[in-house]
Amino acid sequence: MKGLVCLLLLLETFVCVVQHQVDGGLNENEISQQLRSEDGRQNPPQTDTLRDEASTDSQQNYHLCFTDIHAALRELTATVTEQKVNIRELTATVTEQKVNIRELTATVTEQKVNIRELTATVTEQKVNIRELTATVTEQKTINRELTATVTEQKTIIRELTATVTEQKTNIRALETQQTLILEELNKKNDEISNITLGQVELRKEFRDREIAFSASLMQSSSGDYIGPFTTDITLTYRNVFTNIGNAYNPITGVFIAPLKGAYMFRVSVYGHGGTAASVSIVKNGERVVAAHEHQAKDGLNSSNGVVLILEVGDVVYVSLWSGRRICENQNNHNTFSGFLLFPLR
C-alpha cells in the first residue's frame, strides 16, 4: 500500500515536472521540493511511528526511482529542447511564409492592376480594331470603285488607241490624196497662169468701166412736200453725191446700164403722218421692191434694196405711188443709190 502511494506521488511529480519543464524548465532542487510538497499533501500528519515508517519507505523508494526519473527528465528536456528548436524553425518558417504571403498579396494586387490596365487596353484595341475594320471595308469599297474606273479607263484608252490608229490610217490616205492633188495642181499651174493673164486684162477693162452713183431728191429744202399725185411719177434725185461712169441721169432720174452685170440698188423714203409714204424701185417699167410706211402722225421712215441682173440698156428708176406723199428736208432723207457688183459676159 505504501509503495503504491509513493508510485502515484512520483507519477504526479513527474507530470508536474514535465509540465513545468515545458513551460520553462526545473532544476533538481525544485523537483525535490516539489516531490516533498506533493508527499506532504498526500500524507497528512500521522503518528510518529507511521511518519517514520513512511519516511523511511519514501526515502528508499525515492533513491530507487530517482535515477530513472532523472534519466527520463533528461530525455524529456532534450525532447522539449528539440521541440523548441522545431518550434523556432516553424515560427521562422511561418514568419517567412507571412512575408511571402504579403509579397504574393502585393504581387496579386499589382497583377490585378495590370489585369485591369490590360483589360482597358484590350477594350481600346477592340475599338481600334472595329474602326480599322470599318476603314478597311471602306478602303475595299473605294478600291473596287477605283478598279472599276481603271477598267473603264482602260476600255476608253483601247477605244481611243483604235481611233488614233484609224486616224493615222486616214491621215496617211489624206497625205496620199494630197500628194495626188498637188501633182494635179502643179499640172494645172500653166493653165491658171494663162487664165490669170486673161483676168488681169479683164480687170483693166472693168476698171475702165466702174459704175456707182448716189443722190438725194433736192440739194436744199425747207421741208416741201412731193405729192400726192393721181398717178405714179418718176422721182428725180438731182442732188448727186457720186456718179462714177455717168450711168445715172439726174435730170430724168433714170439709171441706164452701160454693160451686162449684177447691180445693187437701194432707196430710202421719208414723210409725215396722215398720208402714207410709198415708193418703188422700177426695172424697165416693172415694180421690183417697195419702201412703204404709214401712221397717223409724226415722221415716217422706210428703206429697201435689191440686186438686179441688167443687160446693156436696161433702165432703173424710183417711182412715187399715186396718192402718196413724201417730204424732203436739208437732212436728205430721200435717197437713191446703186453700183455694179461685177460684170457678166
Side-chain angles (χ1 to χ4, degrees):
M1 183 67 182
K2 292 179 181 178
L4 181 60
V5 171
C6 291
L7 181 61
L8 290 173
L9 288 173
L10 289 173
L11 289 172
E12 184 177 358
T13 300
F14 175 74
V15 171
C16 291
V17 169
V18 171
Q19 183 67 38
H20 186 65
Q21 186 70 22
V22 172
D23 295 333
L26 296 175
N27 53 33
E28 293 180 359
N29 293 327
E30 289 176 347
I31 292 172
S32 298
Q33 291 176 3
Q34 184 68 29
L35 289 174
R36 284 194 296 271
S37 175
E38 291 297 329
D39 184 45
R41 284 197 301 271
Q42 296 295 330
N43 296 304
Q46 299 177 357
T47 60
D48 294 337
T49 302
L50 292 174
R51 187 168 51 248
D52 292 337
E53 290 177 357
S55 175
T56 302
D57 293 337
S58 297
Q59 289 176 0
Q60 291 175 354
N61 291 329
Y62 175 79
H63 289 294
L64 291 172
C65 297
F66 182 77
T67 303
D68 294 335
I69 292 171
H70 188 69
L73 287 173
R74 282 197 299 270
E75 292 179 0
L76 287 172
T77 300
T79 302
V80 168
T81 301
E82 184 180 359
Q83 291 299 322
K84 285 182 178 180
V85 172
N86 291 335
I87 288 169
R88 282 194 296 272
E89 292 177 354
L90 289 172
T91 301
T93 302
V94 168
T95 303
E96 184 179 357
Q97 291 299 322
K98 286 182 179 179
V99 173
N100 292 334
I101 288 169
R102 283 195 295 272
E103 292 177 355
L104 289 172
T105 302
T107 303
V108 169
T109 303
E110 183 179 358
Q111 292 299 322
K112 286 182 179 179
V113 173
N114 292 335
I115 288 169
R116 283 195 293 272
E117 292 177 355
L118 288 173
T119 303
T121 302
V122 169
T123 303
E124 184 180 358
Q125 292 298 322
K126 286 182 179 179
V127 173
N128 292 334
I129 288 169
R130 283 195 293 270
E131 292 177 355
L132 287 173
T133 302
T135 303
V136 168
T137 302
E138 183 179 359
Q139 290 298 322
K140 286 181 178 179
T141 302
I142 293 172
N143 287 337
R144 284 195 294 271
E145 293 176 354
L146 289 174
T147 301
T149 303
V150 168
T151 302
E152 183 179 357
Q153 292 296 322
K154 286 181 178 179
T155 302
I156 293 172
I157 288 170
R158 284 195 294 271
E159 293 176 356
L160 289 174
T161 302
T163 303
V164 168
T165 303
E166 183 180 357
Q167 291 297 324
K168 286 181 178 179
T169 303
N170 293 335
I171 288 170
R172 284 194 293 271
L174 289 173
E175 288 176 350
T176 303
Q177 186 176 2
Q178 185 179 8
T179 302
L180 295 174
I181 291 172
L182 288 173
E183 291 176 355
E184 223 173 281
L185 289 173
N186 290 329
K187 291 179 181 179
K188 293 183 178 180
N189 278 336
D190 296 336
E191 298 177 6
I192 293 172
S193 299
N194 295 331
I195 293 172
T196 302
L197 292 174
Q199 288 177 344
V200 169
E201 294 177 357
L202 185 60
R203 285 197 199 97
K204 290 180 180 179
E205 180 183 354
F206 289 162
R207 191 179 299 115
D208 295 337
R209 303 295 300 274
E210 288 177 351
I211 300 167
F213 75 95
S214 177
S216 63
L217 279 177
M218 289 176 253
Q219 188 171 2
S220 62
S221 174
S222 59
D224 294 335
Y225 289 105
I226 300 175
F229 301 102
T230 57
T231 61
D232 293 353
I233 65 166
T234 299
L235 294 174
T236 56
Y237 294 87
R238 296 185 180 181
N239 185 24
V240 176
F241 302 111
T242 303
N243 194 7
I244 300 172
N246 295 317
Y248 173 71
N249 188 342
I251 297 174
T252 61
V254 177
F255 174 83
I256 301 174
L259 54 86
K260 182 179 179 180
Y263 293 84
M264 173 69 185
F265 295 97
R266 189 167 188 82
V267 65
S268 62
V269 64
Y270 174 79
H272 286 292
T275 301
S278 305
V279 298
S280 294
I281 294 176
V282 180
K283 173 188 173 182
N284 296 333
E286 295 182 1
R287 289 180 180 177
V288 180
V289 294
H292 168 75
E293 182 62 29
H294 175 67
Q295 59 184 25
K297 61 181 179 177
D298 299 328
L300 307 176
N301 286 286
S302 181
S303 64
N304 208 343
V306 65
V307 174
L308 299 175
I309 303 300
L310 302 180
E311 298 289 341
V312 176
D314 286 345
V315 297
V316 177
Y317 55 90
V318 176
S319 66
L320 175 66
W321 294 7
S322 63
R324 302 295 198 267
R325 183 182 65 182
I326 60 175
C327 180
E328 181 61 36
N329 59 27
Q330 60 185 359
N331 293 324
N332 297 314
H333 288 300
N334 295 281
T335 60
F336 178 41
S337 62
F339 60 90
L340 174 66
L341 289 173
F342 52 87
L344 298 174
R345 289 182 179 272

